[in-house]
Amino acid sequence: MLVGVSEAALLATASLPNASLFALFLAATAGNVLGAVVNYTLGRFLTRFENRRWFPVGPANRQKAEMLFARFGQPILLFSWLPVIGDPLTLAAGLLRTPFLVFLVYVTAGKAARYAAILWAWDAIVV
């Protein structure tokens, strides 16, 4: 994923007249969590395709993510919103068989906090 694209789209939409920041928050969070679920599923069931060009995480990033996961445990998924390391973390969660509900809670909390902070800052600056 290109860094900053979702944020730019979110803020561009937030600048439209009558934009509902809450609806934008829900849509951005849901969309980003859905992307993380795709990575989790790839890690859980499709790692045999890891060397394919379309696979979202390379071996080096996967190894880094697994080391972080081993060191900090499941709460590291709160940082799945971070560029570069977020996708490998969600893939590693699937690979390491993190229970899906636990995965979903941590990932949703982290990604929701990110978009809430972005929209809060936007609202504070624009108003």
Side-chain angles (χ1 to χ4, degrees), residues 24-105:
L24 289 172
F25 163 76
L26 290 177
T29 301
N32 216 272
V33 169
L34 183 59
V37 169
V38 169
N39 287 336
Y40 175 91
T41 303
L42 287 171
R44 180 82 189 227
F45 302 108
L46 300 174
T47 53
R48 67 178 181 259
F49 298 113
E50 186 172 29
N51 294 321
R52 302 283 172 100
R53 182 177 211 140
W54 55 265
F55 203 78
V57 176
N61 282 341
R62 173 187 160 190
Q63 188 176 24
K64 274 187 203 173
E66 286 179 17
M67 288 172 38
L68 283 171
F69 214 91
R71 182 172 181 191
F72 297 107
Q74 296 167 344
I76 194 69
L77 290 168
L78 290 167
F79 298 98
S80 64
W81 60 269
L82 286 169
V84 181
I85 194 67
D87 285 344
L89 282 174
T90 56
L91 183 95
L95 187 70
L96 299 172
R97 306 286 195 251
T98 300
F100 184 71
L101 186 58
V102 171
F103 166 84
L104 202 56
V105 167

Side-chain angles (χ1 to χ4, degrees), residues 10-16 21 116-127:
L10 179 68
L11 295 178
T13 307
S15 68
L16 296 173
L21 296 185
I118 290 169
L119 288 171
W120 175 82
W122 173 260
D123 194 43
I125 292 169
V126 173
V127 173

